[in-house]
């Protein structure tokens, strides 16, 4: 029997190669992704899945903006919950198509964040599509924050750190009952806890890789696999001296991280998630491409992060 593996699926697992996210594109991409996941389940691994949702949330936000004069826009935490349900359904259908009698469940999952997190004072996470300045200014009038980028204006929101995956216990109960579980999609629905203990959704998005590390620890995963579109994290990426990182200790990876080898908007959060999981005693963290997740778990490929290098 294999271990309990948490797989964090990147956007490439749910969209076409060009990033388009039509329903047909998503169906095709998720079916292909689940073929790789099904192979792990057949090999005896307990699998927990989490996923990104950037293009899907972007589509909902665009619908909000285009129809705001007819239907009141829904808040961002609602958008995340909607995408958890939609993507989870596609994953369940695709896995059962691969495995026949597979027991698969999706948990609509909330992630607790700190209302005092500095991210709320400086929203920098871009979401949705690019617009012209006129449209951006109009949306700013509705209380949204927008910033100008090279390609145009884009809405920015807070991206606070995950404090706790609140519904992890439900995921564990399902795993122990023999289900493959999809949880904390899009980083989880962001909520804060009031002084009276009640939970309220907030306008924010949580980094899916950091949430994956928290979820992996909460469900007792032996391995965290961050599936992306490259086989390995790289040192000196984009230069003639670029080289892949294979097996590495947490301390050594922290040194590379501090030296600025991993871009904040791409590989940076993945490396941070891998380091957090491994250094907190969670086991092994792997960064690799979706097509190589099986080989990576066998120890033959990918960036494999340990608290200390295992012989």
């Amino acid at each position: 029997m294999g271990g309990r593996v948490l797989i964090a699926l990147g956007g490439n697992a749910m969209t076409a190669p060009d990033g388009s996210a039509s329903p047909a594109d998503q169906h095709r991409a998720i079916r292909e992704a689940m073929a790789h996941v099904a192979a792990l389940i057949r090999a005896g691994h307990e699998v927990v899945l989490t996923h990104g949702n950037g293009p899907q949330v972007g589509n909902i936000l665009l619908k909000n903006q285009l129809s705001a004069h007819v239907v009141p826009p829904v808040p961002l935490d609602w958008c995340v919950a909607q995408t958890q349900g939609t993507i989870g359904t596609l994953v369940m259908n695709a896995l059962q198509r691969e495995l026949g009698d597979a027991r698969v469940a999706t948990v609509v999952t909330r992630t607790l964040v700190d209302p005092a997190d500095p991210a709320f004072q400086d929203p920098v996470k871009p979401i949705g599509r690019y617009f012209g300045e006129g449209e951006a200014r109009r949306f700013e009038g509705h209380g949204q924050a927008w910033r100008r980028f090279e390609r145009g204006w884009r809405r920015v929101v807070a991206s606070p750190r995950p404090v706790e995956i609140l519904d992890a216990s439900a995921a564990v109960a399902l795993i122990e009952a023999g289900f493959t579980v999809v949880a904390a999609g899009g980083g989880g629905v962001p909520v804060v806890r009031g002084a009276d203990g009640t939970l309220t959704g907030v306008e924010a998005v949580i980094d899916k890789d950091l949430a994956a590390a928290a979820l992996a620890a909460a469900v007792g995963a032996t391995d965290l696999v961050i599936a992306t579109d490259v086989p390995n994290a790289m040192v000196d990426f984009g230069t003639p001296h670029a080289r892949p990182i294979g097996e590495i200790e947490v301390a050594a990876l922290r040194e590379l991280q501090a030296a600025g080898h991993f871009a904040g908007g791409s590989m940076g959060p993945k490396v941070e998630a891998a380091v957090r999981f491994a250094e907190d005693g969670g086991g092994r963290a792997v960064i690799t491409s979706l097509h190589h997740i099986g080989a990576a778990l066998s120890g033959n490929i990918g960036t494999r992060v340990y608290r200390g290098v295992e012989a």
Side-chain angles (χ1 to χ4, degrees), residues 260-302:
H261 285 282
F262 312 114
S266 54
M267 190 56 70
K270 296 171 175 54
V271 168
E272 178 63 24
V275 165
R276 286 190 187 195
F277 178 71
E279 71 184 0
D280 290 343
R284 173 179 56 175
V286 178
I287 301 171
T288 194
S289 67
L290 178 63
H291 295 79
H292 293 116
I293 56 176
L297 286 172
S298 300
N300 300 321
I301 199 169

Side-chain angles (χ1 to χ4, degrees), residues 80-155:
V80 175
Q82 289 177 34
T83 61
Q84 285 188 1
T86 301
I87 295 171
T89 298
L90 293 175
V91 168
M92 291 190 295
N93 290 345
L95 265 183
Q96 289 178 327
R97 177 189 177 104
E98 288 288 331
L99 297 171
D101 60 350
R103 303 177 77 193
V104 192
T106 295
V107 178
V108 175
T109 312
R110 298 161 297 173
T111 298
L112 184 68
V113 299
D114 184 351
D117 191 302
F120 286 108
Q121 304 304 316
D122 183 26
V124 296
K125 175 69 174 179
I127 61 171
R129 303 193 182 190
Y130 292 96
F131 285 84
E133 182 176 0
E135 285 289 281
R137 297 300 186 194
R138 182 167 68 87
F139 295 131
E140 283 180 334
H142 293 285
Q144 298 178 4
W146 285 70
R147 290 192 180 181
R148 184 175 183 174
F149 295 87
E150 185 176 342
R151 293 173 54 191
W153 288 76
R154 204 172 178 196
R155 185 182 174 188

